[in-house]
Amino acid sequence: MKAIVVHQYGGPEVLKWEEYPDPVPGRGEVLVRVAAASVNPIDYKRRAGLTKDFYPIHFPGLIGVDMSGTVVKVGPGVEAFTDGDKVFAMADNTYAEFCVVKADVLADIPEGLDLIEAAALPLVTTTGNQLLSATEIKAGQTVLVAGAAGNVGRSAVFTAKSRGATVIAGVLKKQIDGAGTIRADRVVATDDDSAIANLAPLDAVADTVGGKTAEKLIAKVKPGGVYATVVGKPQNAAEYPTVKAVFVFSKFDRETLEFMAEAVRDGKLVIPIGPRMPLSKAAEAQAAAEKGGVGKILLVA
């Protein structure tokens, strides 16, 4: 098969479109013909070697975590899927024409959801849902989602609204005009110190931004509240011992993915889609994604 092969850590130029051994499904695994993968920050951080201490590439190796496609073969012991099923998942080595996925991390694409666009959803929607869940927010409480214009943030906002919470979308000043599709109850510019200072105490924060913004926002959480983050706890978290600071590392959950995907299909959650590019152009796609502002880039196999 053809795949994007990485022989060393580095910039986008290390992503090579080459022949690579065909994967073979083992017990409990499914072979999928990839229709599309999508570009995530974890992909280019991994390519650059920034995750090598906990998520290394074994050279020559493959990358990619999002995938949609069609089942072509099932391994021994797999009963939930059959040839021709349209599926998507958070998996490994998805920048390829074929990939092997464990059956227990595979989900059927909901009827009416585009096969290619489904590849944009697994990592960001699952992460956003699990980030919000970690805030322990309840109906009637108020949560601020920092980085709400991003795809993980949007997913957290939707999840909070679905649970009856009041949601404040934290975005940059330049993003406020386009914040309507986030569908929060209120929008606040997190790069405006006066806007943060004027916030009423919050029950929780769901953070996808980190840095100095995180240090300012944790100060706004009520005693007994929760500060959940996917980018590392605020540096000053120890100064707020009554606030529970939680780091969230997303993990696959089929029920969550299907719930979030149905919301996208039904127009309740908007995940902006950027360019569709051939998988062979993954280097160009990652370079564009690292610059930001292009929506979710899809790599079509």
Side-chain angles (χ1 to χ4, degrees), residues 11 47 164 251:
R47 179 214 74 217
K251 57 184 179 180

Side-chain angles (χ1 to χ4, degrees), residues 109-218:
I109 295 175
E111 182 97 19
L113 184 64
D114 181 78
L115 173 64
I116 301 297
E117 293 188 357
L121 306 183
L123 181 62
V124 296
T125 63
T126 300
T127 301
N129 181 283
Q130 292 175 353
L131 171 64
L132 191 284
S133 296
T135 68
E136 303 174 15
I137 203 74
K138 298 178 175 62
Q141 293 184 321
T142 300
V143 58
L144 184 145
V145 178
N151 294 319
V152 173
R154 288 168 176 269
S155 300
V157 169
F158 166 76
T159 304
K161 290 296 295 178
S162 72
R163 297 182 184 187
T166 297
V167 187
I168 301 172
V171 302
L172 299 176
K173 293 176 186 176
K174 65 182 182 181
Q175 297 170 325
I176 286 180
D177 288 344
T181 59
I182 301 173
R183 298 176 182 173
D185 297 291
R186 181 181 163 198
V187 180
V188 168
T190 51
D191 52 350
D192 182 341
D193 286 348
S194 63
I196 293 180
N198 289 328
L199 283 170
L202 304 164
D203 295 295
V205 169
D207 179 25
T208 73
V209 177
K212 294 298 183 182
T213 299
E215 294 178 23
K216 296 171 186 175
L217 289 176
I218 193 171

Side-chain angles (χ1 to χ4, degrees), residues 222-255:
K222 297 175 182 177
V226 180
Y227 195 101
T229 173
V230 292
V231 289
K233 297 178 183 179
Q235 292 291 318
N236 60 341
E239 298 176 20
Y240 301 92
T242 62
V243 176
K244 181 180 178 182
V246 182
F247 177 73
V248 178
F249 188 85
S250 62
K251 57 184 179 180
F252 176 79
D253 181 84
R254 179 182 289 112
E255 185 175 338

